[in-house]
C-alpha cells in the first residue's frame, strides 16, 4: 500500500504534536490552519446568540464551539471539529465530545477551509444525519443554509436576518452578529 493510500484513524489524531489540529474524514487526514481573528469573533458572536436563546427558552439543545470533537460515524475514521455544533440529544455528548451527528452545524469559511466546508464536509454532514448546515463565508458576504430534512438551500447575504430551522423562534440578525 502506497503512502497516498494510507488510511488514518483516531489514534493518529490523538498522536498529533501539541498545538496541531486536524480532522479525519473517512480515513483521510486534513490538517487545520489556525483561525484568524475575524473567524473567531464570528464564531463567538454566533455561539453567544444561539446559546443565550437556548438558555432563555430553557431549551434542551446545547451549542458547543471548536475545538469540540464530533465523531460522526460509528467508527474511528471520521473525526471533525465544526466551528459550532448544536446538539439536541444530550445522550450523544460525553467528556470525549459528540458521538453521532449534531442537529445543526455552522462552519465559518476561511481561505484554507473553502474546499472542506463547501464540498467534503457538506457531503459528509448530509450523509451522517446532520439536520441543518450553515456555511458562513465572510469573504463572499454569503450564508448558505442547507436544510437536509426538507432538502432546501437558502442563500443569504451577511446583512440578512435568518431563522434557524432547528431552534424554534431563533432569528439571527447577521449584520449585527457578524459586523466587524
Amino acid at each position: 500500500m502506497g503512502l497516498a493510500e494510507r488510511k488514518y484513524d483516531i489514534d493518529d489524531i490523538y498522536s498529533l504534536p501539541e498545538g496541531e489540529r486536524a480532522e479525519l474524514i473517512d480515513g483521510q487526514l486534513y490538517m487545520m490552519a489556525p483561525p484568524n481573528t475575524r473567524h473567531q469573533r464570528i464564531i463567538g458572536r454566533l455561539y453567544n446568540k444561539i446559546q443565550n436563546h437556548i438558555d432563555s427558552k430553557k431549551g434542551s439543545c446545547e451549542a458547543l464551539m471548536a475545538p469540540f470533537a464530533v465523531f460522526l460515524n460509528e467508527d474511528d475514521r471520521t473525526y471533525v471539529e465544526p466551528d459550532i455544533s448544536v446538539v439536541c440529544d444530550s445522550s450523544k455528548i460525553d467528556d470525549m465530545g459528540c458521538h453521532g451527528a449534531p442537529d445543526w452545524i455552522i462552519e465559518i469559511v476561511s481561505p484554507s477551509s473553502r474546499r472542506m466546508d463547501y464540498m467534503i464536509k457538506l457531503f459528509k454532514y448530509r450523509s451522517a444525519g446532520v439536520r441543518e448546515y450553515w456555511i458562513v463565508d465572510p469573504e463572499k458576504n454569503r450564508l448558505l443554509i442547507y436544510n437536509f430534512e426538507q432538502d432546501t438551500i437558502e442563500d443569504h447575504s451577511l446583512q440578512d436576518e435568518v431563522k434557524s430551522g432547528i431552534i424554534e423562534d431563533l432569528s439571527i440578525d447577521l449584520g449585527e452578529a457578524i459586523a466587524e
Side-chain angles (χ1 to χ4, degrees):
M1 180 158 86
L3 266 180
E5 298 171 25
R6 176 168 182 216
K7 291 292 186 187
Y8 294 88
D9 63 26
I10 197 65
D11 292 335
D12 294 300
I13 292 288
Y14 290 129
S15 63
L16 287 170
E18 183 71 31
E20 282 193 30
R21 290 176 50 215
E23 292 179 307
L24 181 66
I25 297 180
D26 298 326
Q28 295 298 307
L29 198 62
Y30 299 90
M31 299 307 293
M32 298 170 66
N36 65 30
T37 302
R38 182 170 190 211
H39 184 273
Q40 292 304 96
R41 284 182 179 141
I42 291 170
I43 292 172
R45 289 177 185 145
L46 287 174
Y47 167 82
N48 284 335
K49 294 230 177 257
I50 295 165
Q51 191 59 53
N52 287 342
H53 181 83
I54 292 169
D55 291 343
S56 76
K57 301 287 185 181
K58 301 192 181 347
S60 60
C61 299
E62 182 177 3
L64 299 135
M65 285 190 295
F68 176 70
V70 174
F71 304 91
L72 279 175
N73 301 347
E74 297 298 320
D75 64 24
D76 64 351
R77 297 200 180 275
T78 299
Y79 163 97
V80 291
E81 292 184 7
D83 290 324
I84 300 174
S85 301
V86 177
V87 182
C88 299
D89 177 355
S90 62
S91 71
K92 289 183 177 182
I93 300 174
D94 66 14
D95 285 345
M96 297 295 291
C98 178
H99 301 271
D103 294 272
W104 177 16
I105 288 178
I106 301 174
E107 294 284 9
I108 316 303
V109 177
S110 57
S112 64
S113 73
R114 188 165 297 284
R115 181 172 171 266
M116 282 290 289
D117 295 337
Y118 278 106
M119 295 170 61
I120 297 168
K121 286 184 176 178
L122 172 66
F123 174 77
K124 193 66 197 174
Y125 291 161
R126 179 183 195 126
S127 62
V130 171
R131 295 165 53 206
E132 187 165 292
Y133 176 37
W134 287 20
I135 302 175
V136 179
D137 193 332
E139 194 175 289
K140 292 188 175 185
N141 188 39
R142 179 182 204 193
L143 164 67
L144 291 174
I145 298 176
Y146 291 87
N147 181 321
F148 296 134
E149 291 180 316
Q150 297 175 5
D151 204 22
T152 60
I153 303 169
E154 296 175 30
D155 192 347
H156 296 276
S157 107
L158 295 186
Q159 283 71 46
D160 291 349
E161 184 159 329
V162 294
K163 287 187 169 293
S164 163
I166 302 300
I167 308 292
E168 194 174 321
D169 299 334
L170 173 60
S171 194
I172 298 174
D173 180 340
L174 295 173
E176 177 187 301
I178 296 177
E180 285 288 338

